[in-house]
Amino acid sequence: MNRDPLSLIETVLRKNIELFIAEKHLRHACLYSVLAGGKRLRPQLVLEVARLFGGNENHALEVGAAVEFIHCYSLIHDDLPAMDDDDLRRGRPTLHKKYNDATAILAGDALLTMAFEVLSEETAHPDPMIRCQMIKHLSSAAGGSGMVQGQYEDMKLTPHFNAEDQDHIIAMQANKTGALIAVSCVLGALAAGQSHDTILDTIQKYGFHIGTAFQLKDDLLDIESTSAALGKNTGKDSAAGKATLPALIGQEKSYKLLSHHIEMAQMLLEGFSAGKDSSALSKLTSFVRERNC
Ligand code: GRG
C-alpha cells in the first residue's frame, strides 16, 4: 500500500463520495470541492494521533475523512454570498461560482451529513460504543456550541470589535477554527482505542493550541501573502473589518503569540507521546507555524 498520507487520505475521500452521494451532479459538485487540493491538516492529525497510539490506519483514514467532509462543507458555505462572498478557493472558482448557490448549499449539506454516515460505519471502528463516542465528539465540535457558534460570533463581532474584545476574539476563534482541529486530535486517539480521560484531555489541549496557532497564522497570511500563494483571496479581513488578533494587537505580537501556542503544543505532545515516536506529529505541529499556504 502507498504510505503517503495525502494520497491515502484522498483515496478515502473519493471512495466515500462515490459510495454515498448517488445523484450524479451533486456528486460531481462534491468531488470538485473536496478533491481540489487542500492541506488536509485535520485528517493528517487524526491519522498521526491514531498511529501514535498504535491504532488501525484504515479506521483512522475513515475518521479523518469524516472531519475533512465537515471542513469542506464549512468552506463551501463560508464562501457563499450570504457569508464571506468569495470567488476563489483552493486556487479555483468557489463552488457557487462554478455551479450556483443552490448547488453549493446542497453539496455542503450532503458533505456535512455524510460525515456522520461515514462515522457510523464499521469501517470507522468495529466497536459501536467508540463509533457513538466519535459521533458525539464530532457533532458537538461542529455544531451550535462549536464551529457554527464561532462563525455566528464572528459575524456579530465584525466590524464592531474594539480593544476590549481580545478575549472574545480568542474564544470565537477557538470555536470557529479550533474546535474542528482539536476534535481531530481527540478522534485520532479514540479511534486508536485510547479512553484514558487525562490523556484525552491533554490531547484536546494540544489540539486547542494547534487550532489557535493555525488561525493566527491564517490571519497573518491574509495580510502578508498573495492570492496566488494561498489559492484564496487575501486582504479581505481588514477590508471587511474582520475581528482578528493581528488587527487588534498587530503582527509582531501575533507572531510571538503564534510561537507561544506552538511551543505549548510541542510540550503537551512530549507529555502524551512519552516513549513513542512522535516525529510525524511534531513536524505537523511545526508546519502550522512555518506554512506559507
Ligand atoms: C451554514 C451558511 C452556513 C455557513 C457555515 C460553519 C461555517 C459556515 C464556517 C466555519 C468557519 C470557517 C470556514 C472557518 C475557517 C477556518 C479556516 C482557517 C479555514 C481554512 O482551512 P485550511 O487552511 O484550508 O486548512 P484547506 O483548503 O487547506 O483545507
Side-chain angles (χ1 to χ4, degrees), residues 70-216:
I70 299 226
H71 169 60
C72 291
Y73 122 76
S74 82
L75 298 180
I76 293 169
H77 280 192
D78 194 46
D79 289 335
L80 284 166
M83 306 295 281
D84 268 6
D85 194 11
D86 255 308
D87 55 13
L88 188 68
R89 170 70 65 185
R90 293 175 165 174
R92 296 180 180 191
T94 47
L95 190 60
H96 67 277
K97 288 285 176 190
K98 173 81 179 169
Y99 292 75
N100 52 54
D101 291 6
T103 304
I105 291 168
L106 292 174
D109 292 342
L111 292 171
L112 167 61
T113 315
M114 181 174 50
F116 297 103
E117 196 163 10
V118 169
L119 273 191
S120 71
E121 293 284 323
E122 275 189 28
T123 42
H125 202 283
D127 182 339
M129 281 304 288
I130 292 184
R131 296 204 295 275
C132 240
Q133 270 183 311
M134 294 196 294
I135 288 169
K136 167 88 181 118
H137 277 271
L138 185 57
S139 49
S140 66
S145 304
M147 181 178 73
V148 173
Q149 178 186 347
Q151 179 77 354
Y152 200 81
E153 287 166 346
D154 196 6
M155 269 175 14
K156 279 198 303 183
L157 273 166
T158 303
H160 306 295
F161 70 99
N162 58 45
E164 277 131 53
D165 282 323
Q166 184 164 345
D167 290 344
H168 283 146
I169 294 176
I170 291 170
M172 172 273 282
Q173 292 182 337
N175 282 323
K176 189 181 87 161
T177 307
L180 207 55
I181 291 180
V183 84
S184 303
C185 303
V186 173
L187 292 183
L190 289 172
Q194 183 55 249
S195 59
H196 200 288
D197 279 347
T198 319
I199 294 182
L200 291 174
D201 194 47
T202 310
I203 292 171
Q204 164 82 29
K205 289 195 178 98
Y206 163 75
F208 162 79
H209 287 290
I210 296 196
T212 308
F214 185 85
Q215 183 62 55
L216 265 164

